[in-house]
Amino acid sequence: MDDLRLSLRLLRAYSVAVDCGSITGAAEVLNVAPSAVASAIDRVEAEFGATLLVRARARGITATPAGRALAARIKPLIEAYSDVMQQGYALNQGLRGTLHVGYYAPIAPAFLPHILQNLSDDSPELNFNLQECDNITAQSGLLEGTLDVAIFAGDELLAGVDTRPLMDLPPYVLAPYGHELSTRSKLSLSDLDDVPLVLLDLPVAGAYVRRLLRAAGVTPRVAATCTSVEMVRSLVGAGAGVAVLNMRPRTEQSYGGDLVQALPLTDGEPLHLVTGRAAGTPRRLVQVFQDRLHEWFTGPEARALITR
C-alpha cells in the first residue's frame, strides 16, 4: 500500500480554503498563518499533479472543477476522522456507547437488570448488549473482543483473562412448597438419595451438581433434565422432583404459578462467581460497571439471593 503522504491537516486546510474562497479567510478559520494555508494548497496540488485552485489577487481563489470534486471527497473524510476521535476519547472520558456483557444464565437475571438500569439512569447515552454464556464461551468472547466484561462461574480460566471474585454461592435444594424434605432440621446432600431430581444440565451447572452428589455418595435418580432455570423451577413446582441450585430469584413462585421453597444444605462446595475481562487497561465504562457490580455484591440485596 502507498504511504499516506498527505496528512488530514493538509487536506483540511485545502478544503477550508475552497469553502472560504480565500487563503486569508481559511487562515482565520484555522487559526494559522496564511502562508501555512498556501503551503498546504501547494502540497496538495503537487501530490496530485494538477492545478486545483486558481489564484487571483482581487477575487481570492477559485476552485477548478477537479478542485471542487476533490474538496467534496475530502469533507466526509474529515467528518469521519472527527467521529473516530470523539469515540476514542469517549473510551476513557465518558459513560456512553454500548457495553457488551456476557453472563452465566442460571444466576445473572436475579441481579444484573437492576444494576444495568441504575447505570443507565446515571448515563442516558449508554446501551447494553447482553449475551448468555457458559464459562468458556464467556472467556473466549473476552479474548476475541466481542465481550467487554463477563459474569461467570467455575474455576476453569483461560490465559489472558483477568478475573475478580464476586461471591461464593453455596448449593441449596429447591423443592415444592411443603415437601417432606422441608421438615428436616438439617438437610444434607446424602438426603437426596433416591429422591427424583430435576437437573439443570448446562456445561458448568450439570457437572457441578453431579460432582456434589458423587462426593456425597449419592446416585442421582434424574427425573428430568433441562437447560433453563425457569423450566427447572416449573418442573419442581409441578412435583417432578427437587433440584440443586446456587442462587435464588426474588420470587417463590414458578412460571407455572406453583410455590417452591429454597432449603439450605449443610454440605457441598460453593460455586465461585467471578467477573472477567481481557487483560490490560479497560475503558472507563468497563471499569465503572465492574465497580458497581462488585459494590452491589457486598450489600444485603446480594446476600438475600443465596441460601445458607
Side-chain angles (χ1 to χ4, degrees), residues 170-276:
Y172 69 90
V173 172
L174 184 74
Y177 191 80
H179 192 276
E180 61 177 347
L181 290 177
S182 65
T183 63
R184 305 194 182 193
S185 59
K186 291 184 178 180
L187 183 64
S188 67
L189 289 165
S190 61
D191 293 320
L192 301 183
D193 198 32
D194 205 36
V195 176
L197 181 72
V198 178
L199 181 66
L200 179 62
D201 202 12
L202 290 172
V204 174
Y208 166 77
V209 172
R210 288 187 172 96
R211 186 170 66 249
L212 289 182
L213 295 176
R214 186 168 57 248
V218 174
T219 301
R221 182 155 67 91
V222 178
T225 62
C226 48
T227 57
S228 78
V229 171
E230 269 308 327
M231 184 57 75
V232 169
R233 290 174 57 82
S234 293
L235 285 168
V236 169
V242 303
V244 177
L245 299 172
N246 295 85
M247 181 174 276
R248 61 188 184 189
R250 298 173 186 270
T251 177
E252 295 182 344
Q253 197 170 34
S254 72
Y255 269 10
D258 301 299
L259 291 178
V260 293
Q261 59 188 133
L263 307 176
L265 284 164
T266 59
D267 58 349
E269 63 175 293
L271 197 62
H272 304 298
L273 186 64
V274 302
T275 62

Side-chain angles (χ1 to χ4, degrees), residues 35-118:
S35 59
V37 177
S39 176
I41 294 171
D42 291 342
R43 290 278 301 277
V44 172
E45 288 184 321
E47 181 63 32
F48 294 119
T51 299
L52 302 173
L53 297 177
V54 177
R55 296 165 174 82
R57 285 186 178 277
R59 297 188 303 272
I61 56 175
T62 303
T64 65
R68 287 195 299 273
L70 179 62
R73 296 291 301 273
I74 289 173
K75 283 185 179 180
L77 181 65
I78 300 298
E79 291 172 358
Y81 171 77
S82 178
D83 288 343
V84 168
M85 293 302 293
Q86 289 180 11
Q87 291 178 21
Y89 290 136
L91 294 179
N92 282 315
Q93 294 181 2
L95 298 183
R96 64 184 66 179
T98 301
L99 181 68
H100 299 270
V101 182
Y103 66 92
Y104 182 52
I107 50 181
F111 59 84
L112 187 55
H114 286 287
I115 294 172
L116 292 178
Q117 188 56 46
N118 289 338

Side-chain angles (χ1 to χ4, degrees), residues 269-303:
E269 63 175 293
L271 197 62
H272 304 298
L273 186 64
V274 302
T275 62
R277 68 187 188 212
T281 302
R283 57 183 175 134
R284 182 167 174 256
L285 174 55
V286 175
Q287 184 67 60
V288 169
F289 168 70
Q290 274 196 297
D291 290 345
R292 290 276 188 96
L293 185 62
H294 284 260
E295 181 182 358
W296 187 88
F297 265 86
T298 64
E301 290 181 281
R303 291 192 291 273

